[in-house]
Amino acid sequence: MFFLDMDGTIYHGGTLFPTTLPFLEFLRKRGIGYAFLSNNSSNSTEEYVAKLHRMGIETTAENFYTSTCYTIDYLRRNHPEIKRIHLFGMPCIRPEFTAAGFEFDDKTPQAVVVAFHRAFDYDDLCRTAYLLRKGIPGFATHPDVYCPTDQPTWLPDCGAITRCLEVSTNTKLKVLGKPDPGMLREAAGRYGIPVEQCLMAGDRLSTDIALGKNAGAVTCHILQPGADLVVPENIHPDFQVNNLGELQRIWEYV
């Protein structure tokens, strides 16, 4: 089974790479399962389905596993006592937590969850910091410090917000998402596939490829200059290609 990062692998911002649709069709014809694995927790699964539909990719919610999904699975598996959370995140992901049985409590939560929030004001940040400073345990959906975009702007991501909160409160949050190997193991488990029979493809060595290596999967690095602000050492993918078309040509001979 193939797990594909999204931004930087199948598209960039709002632009679909020309090799994406042929590659997905190749997988379908070969009977190879695939799913999209994203750290970006600023969109709901339904929004991702709609975005890919606009790009010409017909898919369903079952084809996605995001850092929001993993945060929910992690909390339910490792902290079943946590039912009430303070969420610093986009309103669109709240229904996913509600569906999983969580309640939102901004006064006496049992945990703080920090996601990629693109619409917060300073009071949101201050309330989250206050709860962390009081000793409420904190969880961040993923470590990315910036989000790629094809627009003339720069997008500080969840990792940057997390560091701000940690520095200002002198606390540490549990950071989930890629490259935590649990994310790929949980995703593979949803499809009943051993992680050793999976391939993880993505453009960031520090998250996508490190995830695959940490979990024991085959890895393919999609070269995108500047994807990693700091290029990590000792992370060596099994394959390295310029785009999914090159990965397709490799797989034709496997």
Side-chain angles (χ1 to χ4, degrees):
M1 180 158 186
F2 281 53
F3 286 98
L4 306 172
D5 172 55
M6 296 177 69
D7 209 329
T9 300
I10 67 168
Y11 60 72
H12 180 50
T15 305
L16 188 70
F17 291 131
T19 56
T20 298
L21 289 176
F23 178 73
L24 297 180
E25 181 62 21
F26 167 78
L27 293 182
R28 281 191 287 267
K29 287 183 177 180
R30 285 288 187 97
I32 300 173
Y34 65 87
F36 304 108
L37 204 71
S38 176
N39 261 1
N40 190 331
S41 57
S42 68
N43 293 311
S44 68
T45 300
E46 289 73 17
E47 287 175 327
Y48 278 126
V49 171
K51 178 173 182 174
L52 294 197
H53 177 77
R54 291 192 297 271
M55 292 181 170
I57 300 175
E58 297 301 324
T59 186
T60 66
E62 287 69 35
N63 291 112
F64 293 83
Y65 193 76
T66 68
S67 61
T68 301
C69 301
Y70 179 49
T71 299
I72 290 170
D73 286 343
Y74 180 90
L75 290 176
R76 295 175 73 181
R77 184 182 297 276
N78 296 282
H79 297 280
E81 75 283 0
I82 293 177
K83 302 298 182 183
R84 305 187 318 277
I85 65 170
H86 169 78
L87 176 64
F88 181 86
M90 296 292 289
C92 62
I93 67 172
R94 285 179 169 254
E96 299 190 30
F97 283 93
T98 300
F102 292 95
E103 299 176 3
F104 300 109
D105 184 346
D106 296 334
K107 295 182 178 179
T108 59
Q110 295 167 291
V112 171
V113 175
V114 176
F116 179 19
H117 198 343
R118 295 182 283 105
F120 72 90
D121 61 29
Y122 189 63
D123 287 343
D124 295 334
L125 188 68
C126 292
R127 184 63 191 175
T128 304
Y130 173 75
L131 293 170
L132 291 170
R133 184 64 183 169
K134 283 185 63 178
I136 306 299
F139 302 85
T141 58
H142 60 285
D144 300 51
V145 295
Y146 85 99
C147 179
T149 177
D150 57 355
Q151 300 301 308
T153 186
W154 192 260
L155 304 176
D157 205 330
C158 182
I161 297 169
T162 298
R163 291 185 191 179
C164 169
L165 290 166
E166 289 180 334
V167 170
S168 66
T169 62
N170 194 31
T171 61
K172 295 294 291 183
L173 282 72
K174 171 65 176 177
V175 180
L176 302 171
K178 297 180 284 189
D180 183 338
M183 183 168 177
L184 188 56
R185 291 170 185 153
E186 288 283 357
R190 285 195 173 193
Y191 301 98
I193 304 293
V195 73
E196 295 80 11
Q197 296 179 18
C198 298
L199 181 145
M200 179 68 219
D203 63 313
R204 291 190 181 182
L205 291 166
S206 57
T207 55
D208 303 313
I209 305 308
L211 169 71
K213 288 295 183 182
N214 291 341
V218 178
T219 57
C220 180
H221 182 215
I222 310 296
L223 284 167
Q224 292 290 344
D228 289 285
L229 292 181
V230 178
V231 178
E233 298 179 356
N234 302 318
I235 298 179
H236 305 291
D238 297 291
F239 302 97
Q240 191 169 63
V241 298
N242 289 301
N243 53 59
L244 291 174
E246 291 185 5
L247 178 58
Q248 175 180 332
R249 287 192 287 275
I250 292 173
W251 224 253
E252 287 172 346
Y253 297 99
V254 173

